[in-house]
Amino acid sequence: VLLDAGLAVCDHAALSTLSVDAVVAEAGVAKGTFYVHFRDRADYLVALHRRFHDDMAPTIAAAGEGIAPGLDRLWSATIAYLDGCLSSPGTKAMLLDARAEPAIATAVAASNDRFARRVAPDLAEAGAQNPLDSARLYVAMAAEVALLELAAGRRRPTLRHALSELLGSTAH
Amino acid sequence: VLLDAGLAVCDHAALSTLSVDAVVAEAGVAKGTFYVHFRDRADYLVALHRRFHDDMAPTIAAAGEGIAPGLDRLWSATIAYLDGCLSSPGTKAMLLDARAEPAIATAVAASNDRFARRVAPDLAEAGAQNPLDSARLYVAMAAEVALLELAAGRRRPTLRHALSELLGSTAH
DNA sequence: TGTACATCAGTGAACGCGCGTTCACTGATGTAC
DNA sequence: TGTACATCAGTGAACGCGCGTTCACTGATGTAC
């Protein structure tokens, strides 16, 4: 409940303005209730971030299901990721603001790294000399596309095309 | 003076913790002095961001001087950018935290866009179908490399190689 | 079925703190005569 | 050269505010007998 409220607030405000007051106001509970469920604000932010990824992960995993490692699988997962970002509440806060919040910067970095590790085999298949490093950069690009699409409020086909172009000349 | 102090503080702390108190403490002046030079904190942050870019821009421009548009010129500018980021104080705050600060988010976005516009001709030369979109993604990748190098405290050749790999098969 | 007690999510007033901002004042420097 | 005044960067104590956090309390629900 409180997590849903947090993501809802994040959809129209920066993460830095997501005060405990704002969360309980959105959720319609007393301020003390917040501390029944979370030790402190930092604890809450970590949970919020985890929630966001737990919502997204299955969709992305499903998109790559049954496809052999390689650019096709990566691209399929990418589309699922971008569409998921566009439709999830609080995406901007989780992708952008979260990296700057000291309370969760570590958690975000770890999460990005897991993403990169998942992407690396596909890039290895495509001939990258250092798949993990390439994967980190690709994840950064994908996040940038997600943010730009979110700013526009819709899919940006030319951006997605530019992303696939940078992925490799054998792209879509 | 106050701007130098701000960048110095940013080097070991997040931008969100860069309070007026922290700035004047680092600069060794009274709190009131701050408001002699800046209208408010937001005004200061904009100036801080501008300063960072004004310091960096000439170096990058010089690196591309006299080279014909194309990937060679882009790569030369990229190296200058990455080395500049590594040696400038407050890089992490300006590259990462600044995008999340409501007070300067607009200024940062505009600045990134100027970068992209400068990069676009090189990518057009290299055959990108939508040079500006490709440029935006490339700028995002370059910033990511800068951040990862900064976290490591040194150049990361494999990362730079991965960046050039993603730039195109004709890369270095 | 009825009574006594334990549990625990939820409450909201109260707190201390650090923040951004203000303002009457200072004191060095420059200008006019 | 000496005196009177204007300018203005710099000062620091004081303010109001919003924040994260605490805590004594409530009241519904479950359990024991």
Side-chain angles (χ1 to χ4, degrees):
Chain A
V1 195
L2 287 170
L3 293 176
D4 290 328
L7 290 174
V9 172
C10 282
D11 228 27
H12 57 262
L15 188 58
S16 52
T17 71
L18 184 67
S19 63
V20 176
D21 279 324
V23 174
V24 297
E26 175 78 22
V29 300
K31 214 170 174 182
T33 309
F34 182 92
Y35 290 91
V36 173
H37 297 280
F38 303 98
R39 192 142 38 89
D40 53 25
R41 186 173 178 271
D43 186 33
Y44 173 76
L45 290 180
V46 171
L48 199 64
H49 182 257
R50 183 194 305 273
R51 156 65 91 85
F52 178 77
H53 274 82
D54 287 354
D55 282 358
M56 201 85 94
T59 313
I60 300 173
E65 202 85 21
I67 307 181
L71 293 189
D72 282 344
R73 185 173 79 168
L74 174 54
W75 189 248
S76 174
T78 301
I79 295 298
Y81 169 75
L82 292 176
D83 287 346
C85 282
L86 257 178
S87 64
S88 296
T91 297
K92 191 207 155 211
M94 292 299 110
L95 252 48
L96 188 67
D97 304 0
R99 296 183 77 183
E101 272 281 335
I104 43 173
T106 311
V108 176
S111 161
N112 275 7
D113 225 64
R114 278 202 307 278
F115 260 124
R117 273 173 219 287
R118 214 150 127 200
V119 164
D122 294 327
L123 289 171
E125 188 66 28
Q129 287 195 26
N130 192 326
L132 187 52
D133 281 337
S134 299
R136 287 190 232 268
L137 300 186
Y138 181 72
V139 168
M141 275 200 292
E144 187 71 16
V145 172
L147 286 170
L148 289 168
E149 288 195 341
L150 214 76
R154 56 175 181 83
R155 294 184 192 161
R156 295 276 311 274
T158 63
L159 259 178
R160 295 189 180 193
H161 182 79
L163 178 60
S164 83
E165 246 183 19
L166 281 161
L167 236 194
S169 36
T170 65
H172 311 66
Chain B
V1 194
L2 287 170
L3 293 175
D4 290 328
L7 290 174
V9 172
C10 281
D11 228 27
H12 57 261
L15 188 59
S16 53
T17 72
L18 184 69
S19 62
V20 176
D21 279 324
V23 174
V24 297
E26 175 77 21
V29 300
K31 215 170 173 181
T33 309
F34 183 91
Y35 290 90
V36 173
H37 297 280
F38 302 98
R39 190 139 42 88
D40 52 25
R41 185 173 177 272
D43 186 34
Y44 173 76
L45 290 180
V46 171
L48 199 64
H49 182 258
R50 182 194 304 271
R51 156 66 89 87
F52 177 78
H53 275 81
D54 286 355
D55 282 357
M56 201 85 94
T59 313
I60 301 174
E65 201 85 22
I67 308 181
L71 294 190
D72 282 344
R73 186 173 78 169
L74 175 53
W75 190 248
S76 173
T78 301
I79 296 297
Y81 169 75
L82 292 177
D83 288 345
C85 282
L86 257 178
S87 63
S88 295
T91 297
K92 192 207 155 212
M94 291 300 110
L95 251 48
L96 189 68
D97 304 1
R99 296 184 76 184
E101 272 281 337
I104 42 173
T106 311
V108 175
S111 161
N112 275 6
D113 225 62
R114 277 202 308 277
F115 260 123
R117 272 172 220 288
R118 212 150 128 200
V119 164
D122 294 328
L123 289 171
E125 188 67 26
Q129 287 195 25
N130 192 326
L132 186 52
D133 281 337
S134 299
R136 286 191 232 269
L137 300 185
Y138 182 73
V139 168
M141 276 201 291
E144 187 72 16
V145 173
L147 286 171
L148 289 168
E149 289 195 339
L150 213 77
R154 56 175 181 81
R155 292 183 194 162
R156 296 275 313 276
T158 62
L159 259 178
R160 294 189 181 194
H161 183 79
L163 179 61
S164 84
E165 246 182 21
L166 282 161
L167 236 195
S169 36
T170 64
H172 313 67

